[in-house]
Amino acid sequence: SLVDGAIDRVLSGDISENDSEHITRIIEQISARIEFDAVVLGCTDLPVLHDHYPLRTQKPLYDSIKLPAKILRRML
């Protein structure tokens, strides 16, 4: 899939704006058909892509690594 390919490229060090645009399009296409509140970047490599080439979507994006860290900080 496009997402798997983007993840593989990030892992190999090939971080591209093209992958960011493809993933943004996927989010927008799904959003047009299904109502949802936010997107969790569930693979640790997707936030790396987003940091270099931000996903430009109206939906809030959540990093799956930072979410548990924020919760743990509140608990301590």
Side-chain angles (χ1 to χ4, degrees), residues 62-76:
Y62 295 101
D63 181 333
S64 63
I65 298 299
K66 290 180 182 176
L67 285 174
K70 287 181 183 180
I71 291 169
L72 285 174
R73 272 185 272 179
R74 287 186 204 145
M75 294 173 65
L76 298 176

Side-chain angles (χ1 to χ4, degrees), residues 24-60:
T24 297
R25 266 189 248 120
I26 291 168
I27 293 168
E28 295 306 314
Q29 288 171 353
I30 293 171
S31 179
R33 295 183 312 217
I34 300 170
E35 187 175 331
F36 57 93
D37 297 324
V39 175
V40 175
L41 301 176
C43 174
T44 57
D45 300 298
L46 293 176
V48 173
L49 175 64
H50 178 63
D51 285 344
H52 284 83
Y53 297 102
L55 302 174
R56 302 194 189 285
T57 177
Q58 298 299 313
K59 298 292 183 182

